[in-house]
Amino acid sequence: SSELTQPPSVSVSPGQTATITCSRDGLGTFDVSWYQQKPGQSPVLVIYQDNRRPSGIPERFSGSNSGNTATLTISGTQALDEADYYCQAWDSTVVFGGGTKLTVL
Amino acid sequence: QVHLQESGPGLVKPSETLSLTCAVSGFSIGSGYYWAWIRQPPGKGLEWIANVHHSGSTYYNPSLKSRVTISVDTSKNQFSLNLSSVTAADTALYYCARQEGVEYIRHWGRGTLVTVSS
């Protein structure tokens, strides 16, 4: 089983805010990254070092990390944001969360 | 722009060794960064396998370490993965990627599907 715990699925209405969590004891002491993966495509980095956005990633994507939980927030969610999202941290090895399927209804 | 391209057999027999190569273009491996392999079984999540620095320094997923060898060839600007004693559980889409330090993965290949079957 994954050492980073994510909810299997999250649903959101278009234009609303989607929140995806990633949990592990003491996660706030690690740098967390988030990846978006659409069907048939390679993962895309959307957040790194807890809250930094790579160039080309829309401002509606943001991240935070404190205590035992990291959070990916998508504000004003669009249909094109529907995808699987994975959190990731480094703890002597790369660890991925199990993934969350975001559905935009 | 960094481009990574995986290559290798798409079908491997059980108990044999899976061998993949990642050709890198747009960046010289010898200039730095860690170079990684990640896999994704069909319909499942991501699993990091290992990474290698151009200096030869390596990190391995503890659950796979006994079966994995990762290496780098700076003269060919490529790096490779060997996974021994494969079983059906090793059937997956295998990605090569560039890690920024050890923290995150910015550049990914398109992935290559490897099926383990007799």
Side-chain angles (χ1 to χ4, degrees):
Chain A
S1 63
S2 174
E3 294 186 40
L4 299 177
T5 302
Q6 297 182 236
S9 62
V10 168
S11 297
V12 64
S13 299
Q16 298 303 302
T17 297
T19 300
I20 300 173
T21 58
C22 175
S23 300
R24 171 183 168 171
D25 285 347
L27 186 59
T29 63
F30 298 92
D31 284 340
V32 174
S33 303
W34 291 90
Y35 303 86
Q36 175 194 69
Q37 187 180 35
K38 297 182 179 180
Q41 298 184 18
S42 302
V44 173
L45 179 70
V46 295
I47 293 289
Y48 67 102
Q49 293 177 349
D50 295 340
N51 54 22
R52 303 184 69 174
R53 271 182 297 105
S55 60
I57 300 302
E59 290 184 9
R60 64 179 181 274
F61 287 86
S62 63
S64 63
N65 184 20
S66 179
N68 299 325
T69 303
T71 302
L72 174 69
T73 302
I74 309 173
S75 304
T77 307
Q78 301 181 11
L80 57 83
D81 298 326
E82 188 164 285
D84 294 327
Y85 290 85
Y86 296 90
C87 61
Q88 175 254 307
W90 169 264
D91 183 14
S92 300
T93 183
V94 170
V95 180
F96 286 103
T100 297
K101 182 176 182 58
L102 176 67
T103 301
V104 182
L105 300 169
Chain B
Q1 177 72 354
V2 180
H3 181 72
L4 301 102
Q5 180 66 60
E6 306 88 350
S7 63
L11 181 64
V12 181
K13 289 183 168 56
S15 80
E16 295 188 345
T17 296
L18 179 162
S19 296
L20 297 174
T21 296
C22 181
V24 179
S25 58
F27 187 86
S28 172
I29 284 183
S31 296
Y33 293 104
Y34 281 87
W35 304 89
W37 289 97
I38 301 110
R39 70 181 183 179
Q40 185 171 34
K44 296 188 177 181
L46 300 168
E47 181 179 35
W48 181 83
I49 301 170
N51 69 17
V52 61
H53 190 259
H54 71 89
S55 64
S57 172
T58 56
Y59 290 94
Y60 292 95
N61 183 328
S63 68
L64 298 169
K65 184 175 182 178
S66 64
R67 298 194 292 130
V68 171
T69 303
I70 189 171
S71 60
V72 63
D73 186 339
T74 54
S75 66
K76 294 182 179 179
N77 216 40
Q78 64 185 36
F79 60 105
S80 300
L81 172 74
N82 283 341
L83 178 65
S84 64
S85 305
V86 297
T87 70
D90 295 309
T91 293
L93 187 61
Y94 284 77
Y95 294 101
C96 63
R98 190 180 91 175
Q99 270 186 249
E100 312 297 297
V102 292
E103 295 178 343
Y104 56 93
I105 302 162
R106 190 187 292 268
H107 301 283
W108 298 70
R110 288 186 155 220
T112 186
L113 179 62
V114 179
T115 301
V116 178
S117 175
S118 56

